[in-house]
Amino acid sequence: MFVGIDVHKHTHAAALIDERGGELAALTVPNSPQGYRRLLGWIGEHDATEAVVGVESPGSYGRQLVGALA
């Protein structure tokens, strides 16, 4: 499984993708510590803790998110 995350100033959008490229689930969370915790919980709820995570342009808007994921 893969998790792709598109970062924005106020929100982050995540998609859980299977090995064939099909979308299994999607979630949008606030760009905040509470949003990061919700995203981590969502990943765990989908048994995707071993998934490869890709973060689009993790510069200024995604920097704290990447730290939370690490």
Side-chain angles (χ1 to χ4, degrees):
M1 279 193 268
F2 306 91
V3 177
I5 303 173
D6 188 16
V7 299
H8 304 280
K9 184 175 184 177
H10 300 290
T11 62
H12 298 314
L16 180 62
I17 308 297
D18 67 16
E19 291 78 10
R20 294 174 35 189
E23 183 178 305
L24 301 173
L27 176 72
T28 299
V29 298
N31 182 1
S32 68
Q34 295 85 4
Y36 312 151
R37 286 191 293 273
R38 175 65 187 116
L39 177 60
L40 290 169
W42 177 81
I43 290 171
E45 290 166 11
H46 286 88
D47 296 323
T49 56
E50 298 296 318
V52 173
V53 178
V55 180
E56 177 260 343
S57 185
S60 61
Y61 295 143
R63 185 173 295 137
Q64 290 181 334
L65 170 66
V66 171
L69 290 167

